[in-house]
Amino acid sequence: METADSDLALAAAAGDRAAFSALISRHYDRIHALCWRLTGTKAEAEDLTQDVCMALPRKLSGWRGEAKFTTWLYRVVVNAAHDRRRRQAVQAKAASGWGDYELARQDEIATGREAERWLYEAMRALPGDLRDTVALLFGEDLSQAEAAEVLGIGEGTVSWRMSEVKKRLRDFAAREAKA
C-alpha cells in the first residue's frame, strides 16, 4: 500500500529525506505542469518548478494538514508564481531595453503555431488572478470548489472570474479580428 501524501509530508517536515524524495517523485510532474500553465513558457516553468522544489523543505514545516496535500501544494505553486510575477514587474520597470523585450516577444510569437500564439497571447493579456483561475480549472481540471480552496477565495468569486475571462477573451478575439 502506498504511503499517504499527508504522512509523507509530515515525515518530510520532520527531516525525513526519503519521504521528501517520495513526495517530489510523486508530484514533480504535477508541479511542472501547473508552472507551465501559470508562466506560459518552458524556460520559466522549469525555473519556477525548481524554485518550488527547493522551497518545499522549508514550506513543509508550515503545512498543518488542514487541506489535502495537493491543494496545499497547488497553493504553494500559485504563490511562487505570484512572487515571480512581482519580481519580473519590478525588473521590467527598471529595465530600459523595451526594444529588446519587444524583439524577443515577436520572435517567440513567430516560432509558435497560430492557435498556440493566440491562446498564449490571450492568457498573457489576463491579469494574474484570472490566469491562475483558468490554469487551475482547465489546466489542472479542478472543480470550482477545489480552485476556490487553492486560491483562498469563494466559489462565487471563481464563477465571476470565469465569466470575466470569457468576456475578456471575446474582446481579445474581436480586437485581433479587426487588426
Side-chain angles (χ1 to χ4, degrees), residues 1 5 7-8 14 37 42 48 51-52 61 85 87 112 121-122 125-128 135 143 151 170-171 174 177:
M1 183 169 169
D5 286 341
D7 294 336
L8 288 173
R37 288 180 186 95
K42 181 179 179 181
L48 183 57
D51 291 348
V52 168
S61 65
R85 281 188 207 124
R87 282 192 308 273
E121 288 298 312
L126 295 175
S143 69
L151 296 169
R170 279 192 298 271
D171 292 345

Side-chain angles (χ1 to χ4, degrees), residues 96-161:
S96 61
W98 281 104
D100 293 339
Y101 168 78
E102 184 60 19
L103 287 174
R105 189 180 75 81
Q106 291 298 327
D107 286 343
E108 182 180 328
I109 290 170
T111 60
R113 294 181 308 189
E114 187 61 26
E116 290 174 354
R117 183 202 63 80
W118 187 90
L119 181 59
Y120 285 132
E121 288 298 312
M123 291 299 289
R124 264 191 279 230
L126 295 175
D129 58 343
L130 298 179
R131 191 175 358 169
D132 297 343
T133 305
V134 170
L136 291 170
L137 289 174
F138 295 110
E140 296 302 316
D141 203 27
L142 296 183
S143 69
Q144 286 192 358
E146 291 168 327
E149 187 175 346
V150 168
L151 296 169
I153 59 176
E155 272 187 78
T157 303
V158 171
S159 294
W160 176 85
R161 284 182 179 180

